[in-house]
Amino acid sequence: MSIRRIGVLTSGGDAPGMNAAVRAVVRTCKAMNIECIGIRRGYQGLINGDFERMTVSSVSHIINRGGTILYTARSDEFRTPEGQKRAVATCKLLGLDGIVVIGGDGTFRGAQALSRHGISVVGIPATIDNDIVCTDYTIGYDTAANTAIDAIDKLRDTMQSHERCSVVEVMGRNAGHLALYVGLAVGAAAVLIPEKPLDIERDVVENIRNARLNGKTHYMVVVAEGAGSAFDIAKGIKDSIGLDPRVTVLGHIQRGGSPNARDRVMGTRMGFCAVEALAAGKTNRVICQRNATLIDIDIEEGLAMKKGINEQQFRILETMTNG
Ligand code: F6P
């Protein structure tokens, strides 16, 4: 069947570079004579029939913009069979021959559901968490990491002057990739991630003690939001060794800002590949980066892969934080 019209949506937490991916989808469609419909507000928009026709001018001057021009949402209704039925009805009403969904893990579970209802779907991984196991990279991760690094470098200046300890919370409710990566890049004294059970004495206090014995007078502790409360960790440090840490929660600032080169180019490459996959008649696929090449794999297969952090990176972190 030749593809005449497809939809594109962004869903879940936004990520810098999503706009580059939307732009690439629209421009690739134009080159292939495929009509492109933008679905606003993710799966909720698909349920509500919230759409706009996309042209090259709808996506001009967005490659450099953070956020997503299509808006995004986390839809509880789409998790219900009734919500999914309504979303499928919208796809049929609009005559969509396929749909490109841009987002993280939850977005791909939604894609799976659509696909089980006979809708052709291709997913593009975009989340600052970088926690989609089947791909080496998810759009937005590098920009978010650099935003966090920039903020932590600024904190370090004032910590150094005051000879303080800082506890910084970075995003990552279920995954510690961002915290681990940022922690390595800022030379943190300790990094706490949800994948590793927390022992403040062993994982934080002991590192600070060793750092002090080696002449350090300021200490940076990076905590993924899912690893525990930054305020509790600061209190634990105070109770144990009497330092009075300052807490900074970086929060949603990490999700904003102009995407860097990596995220613009990855968004563009993945957007192109997603349309190419749909045009080739593929469905239920996710675009993945493996060893610098983009491939597409079955979504079910991708989602079934075991999650976990990079143990080698963790060992490197343990070595770097050892005093
Ligand atoms: O999925 C990306 C993410 O930024 C997580 O790191 C974070 O825990 C979550 O989204 C926050 O979600 P919300 O924007 O709904 O508060």
Side-chain angles (χ1 to χ4, degrees):
M1 183 187 85
S2 83
I3 300 285
R4 286 164 305 129
R5 185 178 302 129
I6 67 164
V8 57
L9 63 79
T10 51
S11 165
D14 60 357
M18 276 183 163
N19 278 331
V22 171
R23 173 181 178 271
V25 167
V26 172
R27 293 188 72 92
T28 308
C29 280
K30 181 182 175 273
M32 292 185 172
N33 269 326
I34 298 171
E35 203 181 329
C36 186
I37 306 291
I39 310 294
R40 289 185 290 245
R41 303 177 178 86
Y43 292 118
Q44 194 57 46
L46 202 56
I47 291 171
N48 297 338
D50 185 358
F51 72 94
E52 65 185 270
R53 282 170 180 265
M54 304 296 280
T55 63
V56 165
S57 60
S58 346
V59 292
S60 63
H61 308 303
I62 67 164
I63 197 166
N64 56 327
R65 276 171 58 189
T68 160
I69 59 158
L70 289 177
Y71 304 98
T72 183
R74 300 189 197 271
S75 171
D76 287 334
E77 197 180 349
F78 186 71
R79 287 182 228 276
T80 67
E82 189 46 41
Q84 288 171 14
K85 244 172 68 190
R86 288 183 58 197
V88 170
T90 304
C91 292
K92 294 199 170 145
L93 179 69
L94 296 179
L96 301 182
D97 298 318
I99 184 157
V100 176
V101 301
I102 305 170
D105 194 77
T107 305
F108 291 166
R109 290 188 196 281
Q112 246 181 337
L114 282 180
S115 165
R116 286 184 187 137
H117 284 94
I119 307 292
S120 297
V121 197
V122 173
I124 294 180
T127 162
I128 68 160
D129 293 342
N130 202 22
D131 61 344
I132 312 275
V133 197
C134 59
T135 179
D136 293 344
Y137 190 73
T138 62
I139 295 165
Y141 179 60
D142 204 47
T143 302
N146 280 291
T147 300
I149 290 165
D150 182 54
I152 294 173
D153 284 349
K154 291 185 170 107
L155 279 173
R156 183 185 283 282
D157 292 343
T158 164
M159 281 161 54
Q160 195 161 13
S161 317
H162 287 263
E163 300 177 281
R164 268 181 179 149
C165 175
S166 201
V167 179
V168 184
E169 184 185 292
V170 300
M171 274 191 160
R173 199 161 29 208
N174 304 309
H177 307 281
L178 185 66
L180 190 55
Y181 191 61
V182 166
L184 278 173
V186 299
V191 179
L192 309 174
I193 55 175
E195 291 86 348
K196 299 278 177 188
L198 170 64
D199 176 332
I200 294 193
E201 202 54 40
R202 180 197 60 203
D203 303 329
V204 185
V205 169
E206 201 48 35
N207 288 9
I208 293 177
R209 195 170 280 135
N210 286 334
R212 181 69 197 102
L213 286 169
N214 286 327
K216 279 209 166 191
T217 56
H218 67 278
Y219 322 92
M220 178 66 71
V221 177
V222 175
V223 188
E225 64 177 308
S229 150
F231 292 94
D232 290 348
I233 288 153
K235 183 172 180 308
I237 295 170
K238 188 170 187 178
D239 293 347
S240 178
I241 41 178
L243 296 177
D244 189 11
R246 295 297 191 267
V247 173
T248 307
V249 177
L250 294 183
H252 288 80
I253 202 156
Q254 296 158 97
R255 290 233 300 255
S258 177
N260 66 14
R262 186 170 184 185
D263 288 319
R264 294 180 195 197
V265 173
M266 191 55 79
T268 303
R269 291 175 63 200
M270 287 187 166
F272 170 84
C273 289
V275 177
E276 207 179 44
L278 280 177
K282 296 184 182 178
T283 179
N284 201 30
R285 311 295 288 176
V286 54
I287 306 297
C288 301
Q289 186 196 21
R290 299 257 179 96
N291 305 323
T293 304
L294 295 190
I295 56 166
D296 57 87
I297 68 160
D298 187 76
I299 291 188
E300 319 263 343
E301 191 192 313
L303 285 177
M305 288 171 70
K306 205 177 142 321
K307 295 199 173 190
I309 54 143
N310 180 325
E311 285 299 333
Q312 185 194 48
Q313 222 176 72
F314 192 75
R315 278 204 321 279
I316 294 172
L317 176 85
E318 284 182 317
T319 309
M320 296 302 127
T321 52
N322 182 20

